[in-house]
Amino acid sequence: MEEFKAPQEIPDLTVNKSVGIQSSPNRVRLAVSLFYFGQGIAFASWASRIPDIKHSLNLSDGELGSILLALPLGQLFTMPVSGRLVTKYGSKKILTLTAPLYVLALGNLGLATVPWHLAAFLFLFGVIGNMCNIAVNTQGVEAEKLFIKPIMTSFHGAWSIAGFSGALIGLLMVNLHISPYHHFWIVTGLIWINVFFNFKHLVPGKGAQTERKPKLFVKPEGVLLQLGIIGFCSMATEGAMFDWSGVYFKEIVKAPASLVILGYASFMIMMASGRFVGDAIITKLGRKHTIMFSGIVISTGMFISVFFPFILTATIGFMLVGIGVSSIVPTVYSVAGKNGKTAPGMAIAMVSSVSYLGFLMGPPLIGYISALSSLRYSYAVIGCFGLLVSFLVTKIKAIA
């Protein structure tokens, strides 16, 4: 695959209007980044309160693992529809509509009083979240075309910064004894303000309007399937960190209550840092070598936290995992969105359909293995995914 060469940044506002863009490229980039940030802080708010919700509903590891299936099932259920809607109506319209709904679904999670409530609300959270995900990543691909250098990992960096911010807010809410429900509604208000001030600056394109009507279910083929498998391994690791890092620090590391969030926060801040330098690393090393190195770092960090489950060593291990996963998914989405044969929204949806199986299988797998043996063994299994990433990328000729 040839190295990505985007057109130079468009400095003239009148030129932007000729392609339907009403704002400068830098303002577009800021708006898209803030939408990534909004989705990240919403998801982090949920992740930061999982230990509290687990305790309030008196769930075992196995029960929590089963309930966590509902979120990725909702994402997968909506995947074909999301790609079609984004392709037909444009990512701007879909994102503007679903971003406010996403945080409304977040608020519902705080209302759960019995396990089936939580499962139902997580399914809805996944349905709306997937539509946001496909739309915002399509926006990222379109915005990247306005710049001479790759910027996709910086968008995902904004999501990760939001994750770290959400973890800190979650820690504050826990220490202030604020319930998850009220915590989630505070976040909802912030996201609505963000949407109001930034939706007008999004890229208004409708994707592949001139192509034939897209099918509802399209099997990913060739390089898109290969990219999806790479994304699967990375997202399985991310899912394990998002949903179980707090539980791991509480039950395995035996961290005090005030430091339970440390594992999640350390993972998120390093994933964010890696994404802000990821574009430069990709430019220097190439996509293939960057992904190979990332897989090795993932496994190293995970195994450190498994073999040395102490606060310091586990924190360092989680930091390495964050660095490892930082560039994989942004690179996969960027390559998929520029494949040249399929509309960006549909291509990203195809890759996401495979990748999000990682979110589907990762967190529940942790719960089931933990119920049979130990949470440490669960994390050791997830650590093997990093090695698999490094192996698989060597077999994909399309990634340079």
Side-chain angles (χ1 to χ4, degrees):
M1 178 176 178
E2 294 182 0
E3 196 68 20
F4 167 66
K5 293 182 180 179
Q8 294 187 2
E9 179 177 337
I10 304 172
D12 190 332
L13 185 58
T14 60
V15 176
N16 293 340
K17 288 182 178 179
S18 69
V19 293
I21 301 175
Q22 303 300 316
S23 306
S24 69
N26 286 330
R27 185 63 182 90
V28 171
R29 182 178 185 178
L30 175 62
V32 175
S33 296
L34 288 172
F35 270 89
Y36 272 92
F37 185 89
Q39 287 184 228
I41 204 167
F43 187 86
S45 297
W46 149 247
S48 69
R49 301 309 295 264
I50 288 176
D52 296 312
I53 294 175
K54 177 177 183 285
H55 176 74
S56 67
L57 297 181
N58 195 28
L59 299 172
S60 68
D61 286 353
E63 290 170 334
L64 178 61
S66 296
I67 290 173
L68 291 176
L69 275 168
L71 193 153
L73 277 175
Q75 292 171 323
L76 287 171
F77 179 80
T78 323
M79 199 74 70
V81 178
S82 298
R84 185 177 182 181
L85 289 174
V86 169
T87 300
K88 183 175 181 180
Y89 296 106
S91 55
K92 178 179 180 178
K93 290 182 179 179
I94 300 301
L95 185 57
T96 302
L97 174 65
T98 57
L101 295 178
Y102 185 50
V103 282
L104 278 180
L106 170 69
N108 286 337
L109 297 174
L111 294 174
T113 56
V114 293
W116 77 264
H117 286 170
L118 182 60
F121 292 148
L122 279 174
F123 183 84
L124 179 62
F125 193 52
V127 165
I128 302 175
N130 175 254
M131 293 185 181
C132 285
N133 177 64
I134 301 302
V136 78
N137 278 291
T138 303
Q139 277 288 313
V141 170
E142 295 299 327
E144 191 175 46
K145 294 177 182 178
L146 303 177
F147 292 82
I148 194 171
K149 298 184 298 183
I151 60 171
M152 192 66 169
T153 60
S154 69
F155 287 139
H156 286 254
W159 191 95
S160 300
I161 285 290
F164 177 65
S165 301
L168 291 180
I169 293 172
L171 178 61
L172 176 63
M173 296 297 175
V174 169
N175 289 326
L176 292 177
H177 305 290
I178 295 176
S179 69
Y181 177 72
H182 292 98
H183 171 189
F184 296 160
W185 268 102
I186 292 171
V187 173
T188 297
L190 294 175
I191 301 307
W192 283 350
I193 293 172
N194 177 46
V195 172
F196 178 79
F197 283 104
N198 290 287
F199 79 94
K200 66 181 72 174
H201 301 291
L202 296 175
V203 181
K206 286 190 176 182
Q209 300 180 61
T210 60
E211 292 187 0
R212 64 184 183 276
K213 184 178 179 180
K215 298 178 181 178
L216 181 60
F217 294 96
V218 181
K219 178 184 176 181
E221 298 179 356
V223 68
L224 296 180
L225 179 59
Q226 294 171 325
L227 292 170
I229 295 172
I230 294 289
F232 171 93
C233 295
S234 179
M235 287 191 172
T237 304
E238 290 184 39
M241 300 302 290
F242 291 146
D243 290 352
W244 287 96
S245 58
V247 178
Y248 191 88
F249 258 63
K250 182 177 181 179
E251 299 182 1
I252 303 300
V253 179
K254 304 296 183 183
S258 61
L259 295 179
V260 165
I261 202 69
L262 181 60
Y264 179 82
S266 61
F267 165 76
M268 290 301 298
I269 192 171
M270 294 311 295
M271 185 166 69
S273 300
R275 284 176 171 172
F276 282 112
V277 300
D279 292 320
I281 294 175
I282 290 170
T283 300
K284 178 172 288 189
L285 300 181
R287 291 182 174 92
K288 177 167 291 188
H289 288 97
T290 299
I291 294 177
M292 288 176 59
F293 177 74
S294 297
I296 294 172
V297 173
I298 288 172
S299 294
T300 300
M302 196 68 81
F303 291 142
I304 287 175
S305 66
V306 168
F307 292 119
F308 306 99
F310 311 109
I311 291 180
L312 178 60
T313 50
T315 299
I316 293 173
F318 280 23
M319 291 170 71
L320 289 174
V321 175
I323 294 173
V325 301
S326 62
S327 297
I328 296 176
V329 170
T331 302
V332 164
Y333 282 178
S334 181
V335 173
K338 301 182 185 73
N339 72 94
K341 296 181 179 179
T342 308
M346 290 298 296
I348 292 173
M350 291 177 191
V351 172
S352 295
S353 297
V354 180
S355 299
Y356 267 95
L357 286 173
F359 270 132
L360 174 66
M361 297 179 62
L365 180 64
I366 290 285
Y368 297 144
I369 296 177
S370 177
L372 293 173
S373 54
S374 167
L375 196 55
R376 291 177 68 185
Y377 288 108
S378 301
Y379 264 44
V381 171
I382 296 298
C384 295
F385 286 162
L387 297 177
L388 186 58
V389 165
S390 298
F391 171 75
L392 289 174
V393 74
T394 63
K395 305 297 180 180
I396 301 178
K397 297 179 180 180
I399 301 180

